[in-house]
Amino acid sequence: MQDYHEFLSEILITEEQLEVRIAELGEQISRDYEGHTVHMVCILRGGVLFLTDLMRKIRIPNTIDFMAVSSYGVGARQSTGQVRITLDLLQDIRDRDVLLVEDIVDSGYTIATVLEFLATRHPRSLKVCTLLDKSERREIEVPIDYCGFKIPDKFVFGYGLDIDEFYRNLPFIGAVDPGRYPPSH
Ligand code: IMP
Ligand code: MG
């Protein structure tokens, strides 16, 4: 694994900025779902760090579940629009207040597919919370109820987001210098 300093162009969002913004989101969600239980559905694997930090800032009863999708394989950096559900939820979501927790909305195909899939199970409500929104690249319109940060059209990594599965553990969101992209494995 290459040292990320070799291709990092800039730190887009620092650890401190993430912490402040996630606390704000937790507060907002706690207020909006007051009197209810929020069932947080995290899309593996990118959303995991965000989920675990966000849930610690939520003051109302909450439960979590996970699902996984695959949109593009290792090495590819563009969504194909072909999104497959590769891991289904363990718990039933009928009549529950579901909050989908995602790392980033890019083309929008992942969220659009997952929303369609979950809606068939008749949750009481279904909302989207994404840490990052790369809206310039949107190809399909998706409703976003909570957004941490809008970011420019740059490939980013860290804090759950990977480059070919690596660098998810970094505590900040970094942007890749397009001229010094790490080679894919
Ligand atoms: P979408 O289906 O195009 O909206 O893509 C969403 C998925 O693509 C995310 O869940 C990420 O896994 C991945 N992705 C999109 N942009 C980036 C990025 O800049 N860095 C890392 N992963 C990304
Ligand atoms: Mg990914």
Side-chain angles (χ1 to χ4, degrees):
M1 189 182 79
Q2 210 177 328
D3 183 337
Y4 70 82
H5 291 98
E6 290 171 29
F7 53 80
L8 174 76
S9 70
E10 61 178 313
I11 292 183
L12 269 189
I13 308 168
T14 65
E15 191 172 356
E16 293 72 28
Q17 288 171 316
L18 285 167
E19 197 183 325
V20 169
R21 183 67 187 125
I22 292 168
E24 288 172 0
L25 287 173
E27 191 52 43
Q28 198 185 341
I29 292 165
S30 303
R31 269 189 269 118
D32 292 353
Y33 287 85
E34 186 100 60
H36 299 274
T37 294
V38 60
H39 185 53
M40 302 166 82
V41 168
C42 175
I43 304 180
L44 296 172
R45 292 171 291 273
V48 169
L49 277 72
F50 179 39
L51 171 81
T52 56
D53 282 339
L54 180 65
M55 68 186 292
R56 278 179 275 199
K57 301 294 179 190
I58 288 184
R59 297 176 282 98
I60 52 162
N62 59 87
T63 51
I64 59 171
D65 203 352
F66 297 89
M67 60 185 293
V69 299
S70 73
S71 51
Y72 45 84
V74 163
R77 277 148 194 151
Q78 297 257 331
S79 186
T80 56
Q82 309 274 329
V83 180
R84 264 186 326 122
I85 309 288
T86 54
L87 176 75
D88 200 349
L89 298 171
L90 285 179
Q91 301 169 47
D92 193 6
I93 58 166
R94 179 175 284 272
D95 295 330
R96 297 173 83 166
D97 292 301
V98 174
L99 180 63
L100 203 53
V101 178
E102 231 316 29
D103 54 354
I104 184 166
V105 182
D106 186 20
S107 70
Y109 287 122
T110 304
I111 285 291
T113 306
V114 170
L115 284 176
E116 202 179 318
F117 173 77
L118 295 180
T120 64
R121 298 189 176 163
H122 309 289
R124 199 169 83 90
S125 65
L126 184 53
K127 286 190 181 182
V128 175
C129 177
T130 184
L131 179 65
L132 307 175
D133 179 3
K134 218 194 274 185
S135 56
E136 281 169 50
R137 283 176 44 95
R138 200 76 84 255
E139 288 175 34
I140 180 170
E141 205 185 311
V142 287
I144 296 177
D145 301 280
Y146 304 97
C147 169
F149 302 88
K150 283 197 183 281
I151 62 162
D153 180 8
K154 292 185 173 165
F155 199 83
V156 295
F157 64 99
Y159 197 72
L161 292 114
D162 69 304
I163 302 174
D164 302 337
E165 295 302 327
F166 289 105
Y167 313 107
R168 294 190 195 271
N169 61 310
L170 297 174
F172 55 81
I173 305 276
V176 171
D177 178 342
R180 290 182 295 162
Y181 232 98
S184 47
H185 311 277

